[in-house]
Amino acid sequence: MKLFIVAGEPSGDMHATELVHALKNASPDIDVYSAGGPGLAACSTQVEDLASLAVTGFFEVISYLPTLIRVFNRIAAKIEEINPDVVIFTDYPDFNFRMAKRVAKPGRKLVYFISPQLWAWRKGRLKLVKQYIDKMLVIFPFEEGFYRENGVEAAFVGNPLVNTIPAMKAETRKEAGPRRILLLPGSRSKEVKSNLATMCQAKKAMDGRLDARYSVLKHPSLDATLFESAHEAGIRVFEGNPHDEFQKVDLAIACSGTVTFELALSGVPTVVLYRMNAVTYHVAKRLVKVDAISIPNLILGHHVFPELIQDAATPEGIAEEVVAILSDPERLGRIRDELGRFRTLVKAFDADYAAREIFSLVKK
């Protein structure tokens, strides 16, 4: 049996690598080919290195377009040359949906691992999924039902982040002293420029109302000058393992994204911000069809994490939410109870189960 797997981003490469190891453990004689990063290169026959390309937002990045189209065409040609029984696409939808359409053929099974957020927006892509994808391997529990309700075969295989993030702290804070508040403005420079100044102003709005120490996580790839406003506001700037820091803090103020899922797993009460260009926001407002923007709230079915979106994401709005939570022990206890429930609703990524789901397609 021959398989081909595509993973165009570092996180996808890491998760796809774990899946390949499980596939090989279940069937040592399979041949696995890949287009991806260093993880896949070490465990498969790699035909294209995607790690060296700035491929986020693949076809939207105009300056890279000629190179990326050549890469796309080379990968498609290799898939046809190898003629695998199964092609597995990992996340990375702008590239992978085009590739699925290109390489689909009778007798070849196509699997999608780590779904794009079609349940929130761009539901028109469901037509592509129904037409070309034989099975979705999804990482959030509600996604399985979403796809099945829309006529797509799907299996909830667990979330790789659950495998790596420590369980929430067993005890609530008992010692006296300042509260510890963590600011997470994002991992991209554009996010930091959009969010950090507002977070710093929120800190100033809380001075005198809340006894707290503040820190902000700086992604190693970001320029230190982006964090000058934090230094000026007396906020500690640090680099390091965010999951270690999560175990030390009482509350986080975070830009919406995967980090809110990580914070929920770690049991950290969080105020979520989401801001974007005004035109983009008004377009997105018409397209997005969910009642919450953060994954923890979607999984729990209600707003455990307060969400401050666009015009609501002001320093005063942030300060009010933070002070209200930390000044109300009962509310804080309810949030922590819900985060304990959250940990029971998600599950660790089961690579062996995912491998069985893939092999079951070939046996049909």
Side-chain angles (χ1 to χ4, degrees):
M1 184 187 301
K2 291 185 287 188
L3 289 82
F4 195 104
I5 188 163
V6 182
E9 295 167 314
S11 61
D13 180 68
M14 180 174 63
H15 304 326
T17 298
E18 188 174 355
L19 178 57
V20 168
H21 285 305
L23 289 163
K24 287 188 168 184
N25 286 338
S27 182
D29 59 341
I30 63 170
D31 293 324
V32 182
Y33 302 84
S34 69
L40 284 174
C43 66
S44 65
T45 302
Q46 190 166 92
V47 302
E48 191 74 45
D49 176 16
L50 296 181
S52 61
L53 299 176
V55 291
T56 301
F58 201 86
F59 278 96
E60 287 70 27
V61 184
I62 301 301
S63 62
Y64 282 95
L65 198 54
T67 299
L68 295 174
I69 290 175
R70 286 195 294 271
V71 169
F72 178 91
N73 289 333
R74 285 201 302 265
I75 294 171
K78 272 294 182 181
I79 290 174
E80 292 310 315
E81 178 186 329
I82 293 164
N83 193 25
D85 302 281
V86 181
V87 182
I88 304 165
F89 304 104
T90 309
D91 200 1
Y92 200 36
D94 291 315
F95 177 85
N96 279 331
F97 279 129
R98 288 174 172 85
M99 186 62 74
K101 186 176 180 180
R102 177 82 164 262
V103 303
K105 61 183 282 188
R108 177 181 292 161
K109 300 297 183 181
L110 305 187
V111 176
Y112 209 111
F113 172 44
I114 307 181
S115 169
Q117 296 179 353
L118 303 190
W119 35 266
W121 73 306
R122 299 189 77 171
K123 289 187 179 180
R125 282 180 164 179
L126 269 171
K127 295 179 182 177
L128 291 173
V129 175
K130 293 175 75 170
Q131 185 173 357
Y132 298 111
I133 304 300
D134 295 284
K135 181 171 288 187
M136 299 291 299
L137 301 180
V138 299
I139 63 172
F140 297 122
F142 59 83
E143 292 178 318
E144 185 177 49
F146 166 79
Y147 280 109
R148 289 184 174 177
E149 289 166 8
N150 283 282
V152 177
E153 191 171 345
F156 172 45
V157 297
N159 194 301
L161 288 173
V162 181
N163 303 52
T164 59
I165 295 178
M168 63 186 293
K169 293 173 285 188
E171 296 183 0
T172 58
R173 168 193 176 93
K174 292 180 179 179
E175 72 273 15
R179 298 286 185 169
R180 293 158 299 187
I181 297 175
L182 176 62
L183 309 182
L184 296 158
S187 59
R188 297 182 175 92
S189 59
K190 187 175 180 180
E191 292 173 326
V192 174
K193 289 176 183 177
S194 178
N195 294 300
L196 182 57
T198 301
M199 291 178 174
C200 293
Q201 290 165 16
K203 182 263 183 190
K204 293 177 182 177
M206 287 183 278
D207 287 345
R209 300 178 62 190
L210 194 67
D211 183 16
R213 291 199 303 262
Y214 299 82
S215 58
V216 58
L217 177 63
K218 174 189 173 298
H219 192 276
S221 66
L222 295 177
D223 193 313
T225 59
L226 290 170
F227 294 82
E228 288 179 356
S229 60
H231 290 295
E232 292 169 0
I235 298 171
R236 166 181 165 251
V237 179
F238 75 99
E239 294 181 17
N241 186 333
H243 304 145
D244 290 343
E245 194 73 11
F246 293 170
Q247 298 295 316
K248 303 173 186 176
V249 302
D250 296 288
L251 182 140
I253 304 169
C255 175
S256 179
T258 304
V259 72
T260 64
F261 184 84
E262 298 176 32
L263 288 161
L265 285 174
S266 299
V268 182
T270 301
V271 175
V272 180
L273 314 184
Y274 194 72
R275 303 171 71 184
M276 63 181 77
N277 173 276
V279 174
T280 305
Y281 171 71
H282 288 295
V283 172
K285 195 174 180 181
R286 296 191 189 96
L287 296 175
V288 174
K289 304 299 181 184
V290 289
D291 296 325
I293 60 168
S294 62
I295 293 293
N297 288 347
L298 288 167
I299 291 174
L300 289 165
H302 65 111
H303 282 222
V304 175
F305 287 171
E307 295 181 352
L308 300 175
I309 303 172
Q310 204 66 2
D311 293 340
T314 63
E316 295 75 18
I318 297 167
E320 288 299 323
E321 289 288 356
V322 172
V323 172
I325 292 171
L326 293 179
S327 301
D328 186 345
E330 289 187 6
R331 182 179 177 188
L332 199 54
R334 288 194 301 271
I335 292 173
R336 287 179 172 140
D337 287 344
E338 282 295 278
L339 296 181
R341 184 169 74 89
F342 174 82
R343 190 95 194 194
T344 68
L345 295 175
V346 297
K347 70 177 184 180
F349 174 49
D350 187 340
D352 294 330
Y353 172 52
R356 291 195 299 272
E357 287 291 314
I358 291 168
F359 285 131
S360 71
L361 287 172
V362 184
K363 293 174 184 177
K364 288 184 177 180

